[in-house]
Amino acid sequence: MENKLIISLSPHIHNGDSVEKNMYGVLIALAPAFIVSLIYFGLGALVVTVTSVIACLFFEWAIGKYIMKSEVSTICDGSAAITGVLLAFNLPSNLPIWIILLGALFAIGVSKMSFGGLGNNPFNPALAGRVFLLLSFPVQMTTWPKIGQLTSYIDAETAATPLSIMKGVIKGAPGFSLDQLPDAFNLFIGNNGGCLGEVSAAALLVGLVYMLMKRIITWHIPGSILLAVTVFSGIMYLVNPQIYVSPLTQLLSGGLMLGAIFMATDYVTSPMTNKGMLIYGTCIGLLTVVIRLFGAYPEGMSFAILIMNAFTPLINTYCKPKRFGEVAKKK
C-alpha cells in the first residue's frame, strides 16, 4: 500500500482545546451558582433555567435548519446551552415562561444567528436578550421574589434588592436607608434577593477559580473590572459615605461578579490581546459604577458590557500583537 504525505495548513500540533471543551468547561463552572439558586429560589430557579436552556437550544436548531439551511447542527457545541443558562441567571425567578421564550428568541435569533452564528455575533447574546426584556417588560423584570420560597413560582412574595436600596438612597426616595442592606457576609453567600445567578458571589468565585485553573479564561478581564470598580466606587465612597456604599458592597451586589466572570469574558465579544482585555475591563468597571450611581437603572453591568462589546473591534485594531519577526523601529 502506497504511503502518501499529506500536507495541510498549520497548526499541526495543538494543546487539545476546542469549542466544545471550553464551552462545557464554562457550564461546569456555572454549576455552583445554579445549585445556590436552587437552594434560595427552589422551583422558580428550576423552571426559569430549564425553560431558557431548552428554548435557546430549540431556536438555534430551528433557525439553523429551516432559515439558514445549514446541514451542520451547532446545538451540541455548548454555546447555545451557555446562552440559555446565562440568560436565566439574569432573570428573576418568577418571570412568566412566555417572556423567557421571547428573551431566548431575541438572544439566539437576533443577537447570534442573524449575524451568522457562533463567532460572528458582535454582542453577548444572553446580555442582549436580558436588556431586550428589561426594556420591553420593565415591571416583570424588576419584580424580585424573596429568597426561601422554594415551592412558589409566579405568586412568590417580592422584596427590594440591595441595588434597588442603593439607588433609592442615592435618589433620596423615602423609605430607603443603607441600614437596610445585608452585611458583607450575607451578600457573599447569596442571602439576598436578585437575579438567579447574581445572588452568591462565593459560588461565582468558585467558578472563576475553576476556569482559571483550566485556562478557559485569563485573569485580565475579571481582574481589571473588579479593580476598576473598587477604585472608582472607593473614590465616591470617600467623597460621601452617607449615600454611596463601600467598594466591597459594590463588588458583592447585583450582577457585577456574574458579568465580570462569565459575561465580559466571552471569547467572541471581548478583545484578543492582554492589553486590550485590560482596557476593555477597566472601561466596563468604570461604566458600571457610573450607571449604578448616576443612571436611571440600579444595575449597570449589562449595559456596560454591551457598550464595550461595540468597542471591541476598535480595541483589537489599536492593540494588535507584534508580528512574528518584526523589528522595532528606532525612534
Side-chain angles (χ1 to χ4, degrees):
M1 185 175 180
E2 184 181 357
N3 291 325
K4 294 183 179 180
L5 178 62
I6 300 175
I7 301 176
S8 62
L9 297 175
S10 62
H12 303 291
I13 299 175
H14 61 82
N15 61 2
D17 274 352
S18 65
V19 172
E20 292 81 3
K21 180 181 178 181
N22 288 331
M23 292 298 174
Y24 286 109
V26 174
L27 286 173
I28 293 173
L30 286 165
F34 177 60
I35 293 172
V36 172
S37 72
L38 291 176
I39 293 173
Y40 285 125
F41 297 110
L43 179 63
L46 183 62
V47 171
V48 171
T49 305
V50 171
T51 301
S52 180
V53 171
I54 293 176
C56 286
L57 290 171
F58 171 77
F59 289 132
E60 177 146 331
W61 169 80
I63 293 172
K65 183 174 179 65
Y66 296 107
I67 297 179
M68 300 179 68
K69 306 295 183 181
S70 174
E71 297 180 359
V72 179
S73 176
T74 58
I75 64 171
C76 294
D77 63 13
S79 62
I82 288 178
T83 298
V85 173
L86 290 177
L87 176 61
F89 278 16
N90 280 277
L91 304 177
S93 63
N94 62 345
L95 197 66
I97 289 177
W98 66 273
I99 296 182
I100 303 172
L101 296 178
L102 287 178
L105 178 59
F106 189 91
I108 296 295
V110 177
S111 304
K112 182 180 180 182
M113 302 302 285
S114 65
F115 290 98
L118 181 64
N120 299 301
N121 50 286
F123 301 101
N124 184 288
L127 280 182
R130 192 252 179 184
V131 170
F132 164 73
L133 293 182
L134 181 63
L135 298 177
S136 302
F137 309 99
V139 175
Q140 294 91 333
M141 285 289 292
T142 55
T143 302
W144 312 103
K146 288 183 178 180
I147 61 173
Q149 303 175 82
L150 303 184
T151 59
S152 300
Y153 174 42
I154 296 296
D155 59 345
E157 185 180 354
T158 61
T161 65
L163 287 180
S164 62
I165 294 173
M166 294 179 203
K167 181 61 71 174
V169 172
I170 293 173
K171 290 187 173 181
F176 289 98
S177 169
L178 293 182
D179 296 333
Q180 298 171 329
L181 290 172
D183 58 31
F185 177 75
N186 281 308
L187 289 173
F188 183 69
I189 64 173
N191 190 22
N192 59 93
C195 295
L196 296 185
E198 69 180 28
V199 292
S200 177
L204 297 170
L205 288 172
V206 170
L208 172 62
V209 171
Y210 176 82
M211 290 196 294
L212 290 175
M213 290 176 59
K214 292 293 184 178
R215 297 184 179 181
I216 298 173
I217 64 171
T218 64
W219 62 268
H220 300 83
I221 292 177
S224 57
I225 291 175
L226 299 181
L227 179 60
V229 170
T230 300
V231 171
F232 294 124
S233 63
I235 293 173
M236 298 307 299
Y237 177 68
L238 292 175
V239 170
N240 191 347
Q242 302 300 317
I243 62 173
Y244 301 124
V245 298
S246 68
L248 181 60
T249 302
Q250 286 282 7
L251 291 173
L252 299 178
S253 301
L256 199 146
M257 288 289 182
L258 177 64
I261 297 170
F262 291 101
M263 318 285 287
T265 54
D266 175 37
Y267 294 146
V268 180
T269 58
S270 60
M272 296 181 293
T273 63
N274 292 341
K275 179 181 178 181
M277 291 179 187
L278 292 174
I279 296 172
Y280 173 80
T282 301
C283 291
I284 289 175
L286 173 60
L287 286 171
T288 300
V289 174
V290 169
I291 295 172
R292 281 187 173 188
L293 300 186
F294 307 109
Y297 290 95
E299 179 60 280
M301 195 65 188
S302 299
F303 296 103
I305 294 175
L306 289 175
I307 290 171
M308 291 312 300
N309 285 167
F311 281 94
T312 293
L314 183 62
I315 295 174
N316 283 332
T317 300
Y318 173 72
C319 300
K320 289 182 179 179
K322 182 180 178 181
R323 293 186 180 90
F324 180 75
E326 181 181 356
V327 179
K329 295 180 180 180
K330 294 182 179 180
K331 296 182 179 181

PDB file of all heavy atoms in Angstrom, residues 128-141:
ATOM      1  N   ALA A 128     -27.792  40.663  25.553  1.00  0.00           N
ATOM      2  CA  ALA A 128     -28.702  41.338  24.631  1.00  0.00           C
ATOM      3  C   ALA A 128     -30.140  40.908  24.891  1.00  0.00           C
ATOM      4  O   ALA A 128     -31.063  41.738  24.876  1.00  0.00           O
ATOM      5  CB  ALA A 128     -28.306  41.031  23.180  1.00  0.00           C
ATOM      6  N   GLY A 129     -30.345  39.609  25.145  1.00  0.00           N
ATOM      7  CA  GLY A 129     -31.675  39.117  25.482  1.00  0.00           C
ATOM      8  C   GLY A 129     -32.185  39.709  26.771  1.00  0.00           C
ATOM      9  O   GLY A 129     -33.363  40.069  26.895  1.00  0.00           O
ATOM     10  N   ARG A 130     -31.306  39.835  27.742  1.00  0.00           N
ATOM     11  CA  ARG A 130     -31.700  40.391  29.041  1.00  0.00           C
ATOM     12  C   ARG A 130     -32.104  41.866  28.922  1.00  0.00           C
ATOM     13  O   ARG A 130     -33.125  42.293  29.463  1.00  0.00           O
ATOM     14  CB  ARG A 130     -30.536  40.254  30.024  1.00  0.00           C
ATOM     15  CG  ARG A 130     -30.921  40.539  31.458  1.00  0.00           C
ATOM     16  CD  ARG A 130     -30.371  41.829  31.967  1.00  0.00           C
ATOM     17  NE  ARG A 130     -30.800  42.053  33.350  1.00  0.00           N
ATOM     18  CZ  ARG A 130     -30.529  43.137  34.034  1.00  0.00           C
ATOM     19  NH1 ARG A 130     -29.823  44.104  33.489  1.00  0.00           N
ATOM     20  NH2 ARG A 130     -30.972  43.275  35.263  1.00  0.00           N
ATOM     21  N   VAL A 131     -31.310  42.648  28.191  1.00  0.00           N
ATOM     22  CA  VAL A 131     -31.613  44.067  28.030  1.00  0.00           C
ATOM     23  C   VAL A 131     -32.891  44.249  27.214  1.00  0.00           C
ATOM     24  O   VAL A 131     -33.705  45.138  27.504  1.00  0.00           O
ATOM     25  CB  VAL A 131     -30.422  44.794  27.376  1.00  0.00           C
ATOM     26  CG1 VAL A 131     -30.798  46.218  26.982  1.00  0.00           C
ATOM     27  CG2 VAL A 131     -29.233  44.820  28.332  1.00  0.00           C
ATOM     28  N   PHE A 132     -33.089  43.413  26.203  1.00  0.00           N
ATOM     29  CA  PHE A 132     -34.338  43.454  25.422  1.00  0.00           C
ATOM     30  C   PHE A 132     -35.544  43.249  26.335  1.00  0.00           C
ATOM     31  O   PHE A 132     -36.547  43.978  26.243  1.00  0.00           O
ATOM     32  CB  PHE A 132     -34.303  42.383  24.341  1.00  0.00           C
ATOM     33  CG  PHE A 132     -35.648  42.084  23.726  1.00  0.00           C
ATOM     34  CD1 PHE A 132     -36.253  42.969  22.862  1.00  0.00           C
ATOM     35  CD2 PHE A 132     -36.316  40.904  24.047  1.00  0.00           C
ATOM     36  CE1 PHE A 132     -37.502  42.693  22.302  1.00  0.00           C
ATOM     37  CE2 PHE A 132     -37.562  40.618  23.492  1.00  0.00           C
ATOM     38  CZ  PHE A 132     -38.158  41.509  22.623  1.00  0.00           C
ATOM     39  N   LEU A 133     -35.476  42.275  27.216  1.00  0.00           N
ATOM     40  CA  LEU A 133     -36.592  42.018  28.137  1.00  0.00           C
ATOM     41  C   LEU A 133     -36.743  43.153  29.148  1.00  0.00           C
ATOM     42  O   LEU A 133     -37.871  43.519  29.497  1.00  0.00           O
ATOM     43  CB  LEU A 133     -36.372  40.690  28.874  1.00  0.00           C
ATOM     44  CG  LEU A 133     -36.437  39.424  28.019  1.00  0.00           C
ATOM     45  CD1 LEU A 133     -36.248  38.184  28.895  1.00  0.00           C
ATOM     46  CD2 LEU A 133     -37.758  39.335  27.259  1.00  0.00           C
ATOM     47  N   LEU A 134     -35.620  43.699  29.610  1.00  0.00           N
ATOM     48  CA  LEU A 134     -35.684  44.788  30.585  1.00  0.00           C
ATOM     49  C   LEU A 134     -36.368  46.014  30.001  1.00  0.00           C
ATOM     50  O   LEU A 134     -37.172  46.676  30.674  1.00  0.00           O
ATOM     51  CB  LEU A 134     -34.276  45.144  31.052  1.00  0.00           C
ATOM     52  CG  LEU A 134     -34.163  46.255  32.096  1.00  0.00           C
ATOM     53  CD1 LEU A 134     -34.860  45.864  33.389  1.00  0.00           C
ATOM     54  CD2 LEU A 134     -32.698  46.594  32.368  1.00  0.00           C
ATOM     55  N   LEU A 135     -36.079  46.314  28.741  1.00  0.00           N
ATOM     56  CA  LEU A 135     -36.699  47.475  28.096  1.00  0.00           C
ATOM     57  C   LEU A 135     -38.141  47.200  27.697  1.00  0.00           C
ATOM     58  O   LEU A 135     -38.971  48.117  27.676  1.00  0.00           O
ATOM     59  CB  LEU A 135     -35.890  47.883  26.865  1.00  0.00           C
ATOM     60  CG  LEU A 135     -34.443  48.328  27.122  1.00  0.00           C
ATOM     61  CD1 LEU A 135     -33.740  48.624  25.808  1.00  0.00           C
ATOM     62  CD2 LEU A 135     -34.408  49.540  28.035  1.00  0.00           C
ATOM     63  N   SER A 136     -38.458  45.946  27.385  1.00  0.00           N
ATOM     64  CA  SER A 136     -39.806  45.593  26.925  1.00  0.00           C
ATOM     65  C   SER A 136     -40.769  45.310  28.079  1.00  0.00           C
ATOM     66  O   SER A 136     -41.957  45.621  27.987  1.00  0.00           O
ATOM     67  CB  SER A 136     -39.729  44.363  26.011  1.00  0.00           C
ATOM     68  OG  SER A 136     -38.886  44.580  24.916  1.00  0.00           O
ATOM     69  N   PHE A 137     -40.260  44.712  29.139  1.00  0.00           N
ATOM     70  CA  PHE A 137     -41.098  44.316  30.274  1.00  0.00           C
ATOM     71  C   PHE A 137     -40.446  44.776  31.579  1.00  0.00           C
ATOM     72  O   PHE A 137     -40.005  43.953  32.399  1.00  0.00           O
ATOM     73  CB  PHE A 137     -41.296  42.794  30.286  1.00  0.00           C
ATOM     74  CG  PHE A 137     -41.760  42.222  28.978  1.00  0.00           C
ATOM     75  CD1 PHE A 137     -40.860  41.632  28.104  1.00  0.00           C
ATOM     76  CD2 PHE A 137     -43.102  42.293  28.609  1.00  0.00           C
ATOM     77  CE1 PHE A 137     -41.282  41.109  26.895  1.00  0.00           C
ATOM     78  CE2 PHE A 137     -43.530  41.772  27.409  1.00  0.00           C
ATOM     79  CZ  PHE A 137     -42.623  41.180  26.540  1.00  0.00           C
ATOM     80  N   PRO A 138     -40.354  46.099  31.793  1.00  0.00           N
ATOM     81  CA  PRO A 138     -39.618  46.609  32.961  1.00  0.00           C
ATOM     82  C   PRO A 138     -40.224  46.200  34.296  1.00  0.00           C
ATOM     83  O   PRO A 138     -39.482  45.990  35.267  1.00  0.00           O
ATOM     84  CB  PRO A 138     -39.659  48.128  32.764  1.00  0.00           C
ATOM     85  CG  PRO A 138     -40.832  48.367  31.859  1.00  0.00           C
ATOM     86  CD  PRO A 138     -40.911  47.177  30.964  1.00  0.00           C
ATOM     87  N   VAL A 139     -41.544  46.084  34.368  1.00  0.00           N
ATOM     88  CA  VAL A 139     -42.176  45.721  35.643  1.00  0.00           C
ATOM     89  C   VAL A 139     -41.847  44.274  36.006  1.00  0.00           C
ATOM     90  O   VAL A 139     -41.399  43.978  37.125  1.00  0.00           O
ATOM     91  CB  VAL A 139     -43.704  45.919  35.566  1.00  0.00           C
ATOM     92  CG1 VAL A 139     -44.364  45.424  36.856  1.00  0.00           C
ATOM     93  CG2 VAL A 139     -44.041  47.385  35.335  1.00  0.00           C
ATOM     94  N   GLN A 140     -42.062  43.355  35.070  1.00  0.00           N
ATOM     95  CA  GLN A 140     -41.791  41.937  35.346  1.00  0.00           C
ATOM     96  C   GLN A 140     -40.309  41.688  35.593  1.00  0.00           C
ATOM     97  O   GLN A 140     -39.951  40.816  36.384  1.00  0.00           O
ATOM     98  CB  GLN A 140     -42.265  41.073  34.175  1.00  0.00           C
ATOM     99  CG  GLN A 140     -43.765  41.058  33.974  1.00  0.00           C
ATOM    100  CD  GLN A 140     -44.232  42.142  33.014  1.00  0.00           C
ATOM    101  OE1 GLN A 140     -43.584  43.180  32.877  1.00  0.00           O
ATOM    102  NE2 GLN A 140     -45.350  41.907  32.342  1.00  0.00           N
ATOM    103  N   MET A 141     -39.450  42.451  34.914  1.00  0.00           N
ATOM    104  CA  MET A 141     -38.009  42.226  35.040  1.00  0.00           C
ATOM    105  C   MET A 141     -37.409  42.868  36.292  1.00  0.00           C
ATOM    106  O   MET A 141     -36.240  42.636  36.610  1.00  0.00           O
ATOM    107  CB  MET A 141     -37.297  42.763  33.795  1.00  0.00           C
ATOM    108  CG  MET A 141     -37.466  41.884  32.568  1.00  0.00           C
ATOM    109  SD  MET A 141     -36.556  40.326  32.690  1.00  0.00           S
ATOM    110  CE  MET A 141     -34.865  40.911  32.621  1.00  0.00           C
TER     111      MET A 141
END
